């Protein structure tokens, strides 16, 4: 997740449980240009044994160059291609979740990436399509499979769904059924390990992709690890586990650790403190810590000040239950997907659409 899954947060999550922890999205063009930011985004800590990089691009040649660079410089063990971004400034130029509509372009990008990656596994992450009348996932899934990807992940929403309503797990099941010969991963509304096991069982997918559910809850990966260990032994059991239910002291410690890892990542305490502020509401969701505490922590300027604010907490306060669970992060907001003029008229690139697409890589952020 853009702005979230930097090395710092990935390390924290890994301390609780296993999984494949994917980098923030990096645009292929920025990577080819070796911008400082993109080089930082593809960096990994030495403890990350599978270095997973997510790329976003709109041009097969640039994608191939970016992948070639990652491989030649031994910077990744797994490359994920993101086709899920619903942000209007990206889809308006034909990028993100609007891109798979152009079958020729999608095919060319995925093939270029897989060829350039050689032995390194490439996966694809996408949404269902542009809107309910313009679904792309079944076609795109087959194209990706034929290109030789290692897995296809589907977020069960369209671009115009944005983050609203419930993810459509039926679509995930349908993709699974239509692609028996490649790994299919399901994404959307996994807030707990119970949800993950339910998705596996209801859709038949090989695994799940977690987004917002881990915001402020890195211990979710501990629960997932326990549930999947149980599921692997006996898929027919309900894989019930005792979920991790941190008291306030444990939440506070995880928050502090996250901040410390951010200082290491940004090599800058000020930057780290500004970054951790967006996580405050997620970590302390449901805990009765008071508005003043939240406001103070949301303005924190140094680790020393953070210690002072956190020291005001009653560390023994128990897990509040449901209040701390469920949806968090981006929610709601179904909207008509912004598209280039006449985009839907043809499923092939026509006219100057290829040139226009170059702009769809500027300012892209997440999915
Ligand atoms: C803040 C934020 C940033 C995101 N950034 C990315 C990203 O960089 N790449 C990506 O594939 N998806 C990104 N997503 C989408 C999630 O990975 C995921 O597909 C989506 O939130 C649905 O899954 P969930 O219900 O588990 O959150 C982002 C989501 C959020 C909320």
């Amino acid at each position: 997740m853009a702005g979230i899954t930097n090395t710092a947060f990935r390390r924290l999550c890994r301390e609780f449980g296993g999984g494949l922890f994917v980098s923030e999205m990096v645009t292929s063009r920025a990577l080819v240009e070796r911008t400082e930011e993109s080089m930082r985004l593809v960096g990994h800590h030495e403890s990350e044994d599978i270095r997973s990089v997510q790329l976003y691009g709109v041009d097969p040649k640039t994608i191939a160059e970016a992948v070639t660079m990652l491989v030649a410089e031994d910077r990744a063990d797994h490359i994920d291609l993101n086709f899920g971004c619903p942000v209007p400034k990206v889809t308006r130029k034909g990028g993100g979740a609007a891109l798979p509509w152009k079958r020729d372009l999608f095919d060319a990008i995925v093939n270029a990436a897989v060829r350039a990656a050689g032995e390194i596994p490439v996966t694809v992450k996408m949404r269902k399509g542009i809107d309910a009348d313009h679904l792309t996932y079944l076609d795109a899934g087959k194209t990706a499979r034929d290109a030789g990807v290692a897995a296809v992940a589907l977020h069960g929403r369209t671009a115009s769904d944005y983050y609203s309503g419930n993810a459509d797990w039926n679509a995930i099941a349908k993709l699974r059924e239509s692609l028996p010969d490649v790994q299919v991963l399901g994404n959307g509304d996994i807030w707990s390990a119970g949800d993950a096991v339910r998705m596996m069982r209801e859709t038949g997918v090989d695994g799940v992709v977690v987004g917002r559910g881990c915001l402020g809850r890195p211990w979710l990966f501990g629960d997932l690890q326990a549930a999947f260990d149980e599921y692997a032994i006996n898929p027919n059991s309900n894989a019930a586990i005792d979920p991790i239910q941190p008291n306030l002291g444990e939440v506070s410690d995880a928050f502090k650790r996250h901040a410390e890892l951010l200082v290491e990542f940004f090599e800058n305490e000020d930057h780290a403190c500004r970054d951790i502020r967006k996580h405050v509401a997620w970590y302390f969701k449901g805990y009765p810590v008071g508005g003043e505490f939240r406001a103070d922590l949301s303005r924190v300027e140094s680790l020393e000040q953070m210690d002072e604010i956190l020291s005001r907490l009653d560390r023994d306060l128990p897990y509040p239950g449901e209040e701390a669970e469920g949806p968090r992060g981006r929610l709601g907001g179904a909207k008509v997907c912004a598209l280039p003029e006449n985009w839907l008229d043809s499923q092939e690139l026509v006219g100057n659409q290829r040139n226009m697409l170059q702009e769809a890589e500027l300012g892209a952020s997440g999915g």
Side-chain angles (χ1 to χ4, degrees):
M1 283 183 283
I4 309 288
T5 58
N6 47 37
T7 318
F9 190 58
R10 297 196 305 266
R11 285 173 69 189
L12 182 63
C13 292
R14 285 179 86 253
E15 289 173 6
F16 288 93
L20 179 61
F21 298 96
V22 188
S23 76
E24 299 176 78
M25 188 188 91
V26 187
T27 72
S28 58
R29 200 189 311 172
L31 196 57
V32 167
E33 289 168 4
R34 306 183 83 93
T35 65
E36 197 183 326
E37 171 74 352
S38 70
M39 297 311 283
R40 183 152 53 85
L41 289 177
V42 299
H44 286 79
H45 185 257
E46 61 196 21
S47 64
E48 297 185 276
D49 44 7
I50 305 179
R51 299 160 304 163
S52 175
V53 171
Q54 187 180 61
L55 279 184
Y56 164 70
V58 294
D59 172 42
K61 193 165 156 282
T62 316
I63 282 274
E65 277 178 51
V67 172
T68 301
M69 167 186 159
L70 289 171
V71 174
E73 298 176 13
D74 186 22
R75 292 180 187 271
D77 305 302
H78 161 234
I79 293 167
D80 186 46
L81 301 175
N82 180 14
F83 295 97
C85 182
V87 175
K89 72 177 173 203
V90 171
T91 58
R92 191 177 291 126
K93 301 289 180 188
L99 194 151
W101 179 253
K102 299 294 179 182
R103 291 186 180 135
D104 51 347
L105 179 61
F106 179 79
D107 185 310
I109 290 176
V110 180
N111 271 285
V114 172
R115 267 199 308 272
E119 300 287 298
I120 306 257
V122 173
T123 56
V124 159
K125 176 159 177 278
M126 60 190 181
R127 287 188 177 232
K128 281 165 60 185
I130 290 174
D131 57 34
D133 297 324
H134 302 90
L135 299 176
T136 50
Y137 70 102
L138 293 172
D139 269 351
K142 291 199 173 82
T143 301
R145 186 248 348 248
D146 294 344
V149 300
V152 179
L154 177 64
H155 175 189
R157 288 187 176 85
T158 63
S160 62
D161 289 337
Y162 224 69
Y163 289 89
S164 68
N166 295 323
D168 174 5
W169 288 12
N170 289 329
I172 294 171
K174 212 160 151 187
L175 183 68
R176 157 75 299 163
E177 205 180 300
S178 76
L179 294 179
D181 43 1
V182 68
Q183 296 233 341
V184 173
L185 310 175
N187 172 229
D189 301 343
I190 301 228
W191 309 108
S192 67
D195 290 337
V197 170
R198 193 164 56 82
M199 181 190 272
M200 301 278 286
R201 191 166 299 128
E202 289 178 11
T203 67
V205 286
D206 301 286
V208 302
V209 176
V210 174
R212 296 164 297 170
C214 67
L215 296 172
R217 303 183 84 219
W219 46 87
L220 176 59
F221 294 98
D223 287 350
L224 289 166
Q225 172 89 62
F228 281 130
D229 285 351
E230 173 68 27
Y231 187 81
I233 298 166
N234 184 1
N236 295 319
S237 81
N238 64 4
I241 53 149
D242 279 336
I244 297 171
Q245 302 192 323
N247 67 15
L248 194 49
E250 289 163 324
V251 172
S252 165
D253 291 345
F255 181 84
K256 176 74 194 299
R257 170 111 184 107
H258 191 164
E260 284 168 347
L261 291 168
L262 283 170
V263 174
E264 218 182 287
F265 173 63
F266 288 119
E267 297 177 333
N268 180 321
E269 187 169 334
D270 186 53
H271 195 162
C273 286
R274 272 184 281 123
D275 196 75
I276 196 73
R277 293 175 194 167
K278 67 176 164 230
H279 298 268
V280 171
W282 297 323
Y283 273 99
F284 295 95
K285 179 179 181 306
Y287 290 82
V289 291
E292 197 181 323
F293 169 86
R294 289 173 198 278
D296 287 352
L297 203 52
S298 301
R299 284 191 295 259
V300 68
E301 285 178 349
S302 68
L303 291 185
E304 196 185 334
Q305 189 192 10
M306 183 180 293
D307 281 340
E308 185 280 310
I309 299 168
L310 294 175
S311 74
R312 295 185 220 151
L313 294 174
D314 173 0
R315 291 180 56 85
D316 296 328
L317 226 100
Y319 184 72
E322 263 178 39
E323 299 285 291
E325 296 165 6
R328 54 194 54 232
R330 289 177 192 166
L331 302 168
K335 54 189 90 181
V336 175
C337 179
L339 293 170
E341 218 175 306
N342 305 325
W343 188 251
L344 295 173
D345 292 355
S346 163
Q347 288 212 257
E348 313 268 288
L349 278 180
V350 290
N352 73 343
Q353 287 176 341
R354 195 177 292 277
N355 293 337
M356 173 203 59
L357 262 163
Q358 301 305 320
E359 293 169 46
E361 202 164 328
L362 305 174
S365 62

